[in-house]
Amino acid sequence: MVTEPRLADLPLRDELRDQEPYGAPQLPVRTMLNVNETTYDVPPDVVDAIAKEVRAAAATLNRYPDREFTVLRQKLAAYLTGESGAELNADQIWAGNGSNEVMQHILQAFAGPGRSVMSFPPTYSMYPLYARGVYSDYIAGTRSADFTQEPDDVAAQIREDRPHVVILCSPNNPTGTSLSLDVVEAAYDAALESDTMVVVDEAYGEFRQPGTRSALTMLPGRPRLIVTRTMSKAFALAGGRLGYLAAAPAVTDALRLVRLPYHLSAITQAAATAALDHAETLMANVQRIKVQRDRLVSELNDMGLNPYPSDANFVLFGGLQDAHAAWQHLLDDGILIREAAITGHLRVTAGTEPETTDFLNSMRSYLNG
């Protein structure tokens, strides 16, 4: 009888032993508000447009896709120019299979063995895993007690630790707060004193509050600054897996050195291109989500909880004596949200109006005993 080997029996890299893979619970519930997806369905006209482009691409699947994804880069540059007010061109754009692959490319090019990556917890929990995946040391910076970041403090930490890549998340996950561009400027100036690239992760950029400027406007004259985005959130394309960045053309040249051949399939390029052609339709849902996001902050505050002001499509809230008990109560009600790695806090995605109402009613029920 042949015994199947266990994971522990395999010759894994030492740093992978006893580790857990990244992943949020995937449970069959009626209201899923735990992974910051756009919970609105893709509009029918966008579905039709994607289907048309994908069908056309299917006829050429015997050939490799455009490895430079030329049309997609042009459309992404045009979209970012209109969305942020920054003047961008296709040579400044890079894309990958989700922002995860984009970040992996960045670290493969600028981090790696003997180098270090810095971010500032609580923040996106994948950053240390990205670093581990390219054999880099991970440096956990610190934040203020209210999870905000100040220019002088961020700059001092960069000067002290001299990381090769520093990641600033804005709006930050899980707190939802955006960074002042003064923080980005201070970080960049400190980074110039060492061999440091500065990455601003704007995965939730389209959801920021009015008047909050994107770091894309800071790119001119800053060749070590990279701003990453994704189509998973605002474009309702989480299943399409398309992340991208804007930076100096020299940065995109560097990323060509580490990408796998033909890394973006013709199908992915076709779907993303069609979605960009319907950006106006998809952004209408962004506005609806922002209304529900602000409603969450207001009504959770009225319940006596402590929601954080949010520039994202989710809300972090505290004030819970037993956050897990609250999470379990919601799950028993058929509502799945995210347990945050912060004592007494939970994170909820802003969903449709009925989904948001469902969550708020369940929270009231829990708090009222």
Side-chain angles (χ1 to χ4, degrees):
M1 178 177 176
V2 177
T3 302
E4 289 294 329
R6 300 171 302 153
L7 177 61
D9 298 328
L10 298 176
L12 274 176
R13 289 161 41 190
D14 289 342
E15 65 270 24
L16 295 181
R17 294 192 179 279
D18 302 319
Q19 297 295 317
E20 293 291 331
Y22 174 85
Q26 292 181 300
L27 303 174
V29 296
R30 72 172 184 276
T31 304
M32 191 162 68
L33 302 173
N34 68 323
V35 289
N36 302 338
E37 301 158 314
T38 293
T39 63
Y40 287 91
D41 293 337
V42 180
D45 59 332
V46 181
V47 172
D48 291 342
I50 291 174
K52 180 180 178 181
E53 291 295 327
V54 168
R55 182 178 179 82
T60 65
L61 289 180
N62 58 308
R63 301 292 186 182
Y64 285 114
D66 175 9
R67 67 169 175 262
E68 291 301 312
F69 42 99
T70 308
V71 173
L72 178 58
R73 286 192 295 116
Q74 291 169 346
K75 288 183 180 291
L76 285 168
Y79 165 72
L80 287 180
T81 296
E83 192 270 342
S84 69
E87 290 292 334
L88 296 163
N89 60 62
D91 290 341
Q92 296 176 268
I93 304 299
W94 188 253
N97 293 284
S99 57
N100 297 292
E101 185 177 45
V102 169
M103 197 68 73
Q104 182 183 54
H105 286 167
I106 293 169
L107 297 196
Q108 285 176 322
F110 299 109
R115 295 190 170 205
S116 60
V117 177
M118 182 181 207
S119 69
F120 300 85
T123 191
Y124 185 37
S125 59
M126 275 298 298
Y127 297 148
L129 276 66
Y130 294 145
R132 185 182 71 194
V134 296
Y135 301 90
S136 292
D137 293 330
Y138 174 71
I139 301 169
T142 59
R143 293 173 177 264
S144 302
D146 62 356
F147 306 132
T148 57
Q149 294 180 275
E150 296 299 325
D152 290 346
D153 181 51
V154 171
Q157 292 184 62
I158 293 172
R159 288 190 172 99
E160 178 178 356
D161 291 301
R162 301 172 70 86
H164 293 85
V165 177
V166 60
I167 305 172
L168 304 171
C169 191
S170 179
N172 185 49
N173 179 9
T175 62
T177 48
S178 284
L179 286 177
S180 162
L181 294 191
D182 291 345
V183 174
V184 180
E185 183 174 19
Y188 190 86
D189 289 346
L192 290 177
E193 299 175 18
S194 55
D195 294 326
T196 303
M197 298 293 293
V198 176
V199 181
V200 182
D201 183 349
E202 290 190 348
Y204 301 94
E206 286 90 346
F207 298 96
R208 61 191 186 274
Q209 297 283 358
T212 302
R213 293 170 59 214
S214 166
L216 290 165
T217 59
M218 298 181 63
L219 285 173
R222 293 183 174 89
R224 294 191 188 181
L225 179 62
I226 301 171
V227 182
T228 62
R229 289 285 187 98
T230 181
M231 295 185 74
S232 293
K233 314 301 182 183
F235 278 88
L237 211 64
R241 311 309 302 134
L242 197 291
Y244 59 106
L245 63 76
V251 171
T252 62
D253 284 342
L255 302 184
R256 287 182 175 88
L257 300 175
V258 298
R259 64 146 176 221
L260 294 175
Y262 307 104
H263 70 287
L264 275 184
S265 76
I267 299 302
T268 299
Q269 293 183 44
T273 298
L276 284 160
D277 286 340
H278 291 76
E280 185 174 351
T281 298
L282 292 164
M283 291 308 115
N285 280 341
V286 169
Q287 295 307 312
R288 296 184 183 100
I289 291 166
K290 290 167 72 172
V291 168
Q292 297 307 312
R293 183 264 321 274
D294 294 342
R295 177 188 171 201
L296 284 168
V297 172
S298 176
E299 296 196 28
L300 287 169
N301 187 66
D302 290 344
M303 293 179 204
L305 297 172
N306 301 318
Y308 289 77
S310 177
D311 286 273
N313 69 340
F314 58 83
V315 174
L316 177 75
F317 61 99
L320 295 162
Q321 292 198 356
D322 189 340
H324 180 72
W327 178 87
Q328 187 63 56
H329 170 89
L330 291 162
L331 183 59
D332 292 343
D333 269 358
I335 303 160
L336 181 61
I337 69 171
R338 191 67 172 262
E339 291 192 273
I342 307 170
T343 302
H345 290 71
L346 296 171
R347 191 196 72 193
V348 57
T349 304
T352 63
E353 182 175 0
E355 288 171 330
T356 304
T357 298
D358 199 18
F359 162 75
L360 289 168
N361 286 342
S362 184
M363 276 305 305
R364 288 191 188 93
S365 171
Y366 170 76
L367 293 171
N368 292 333

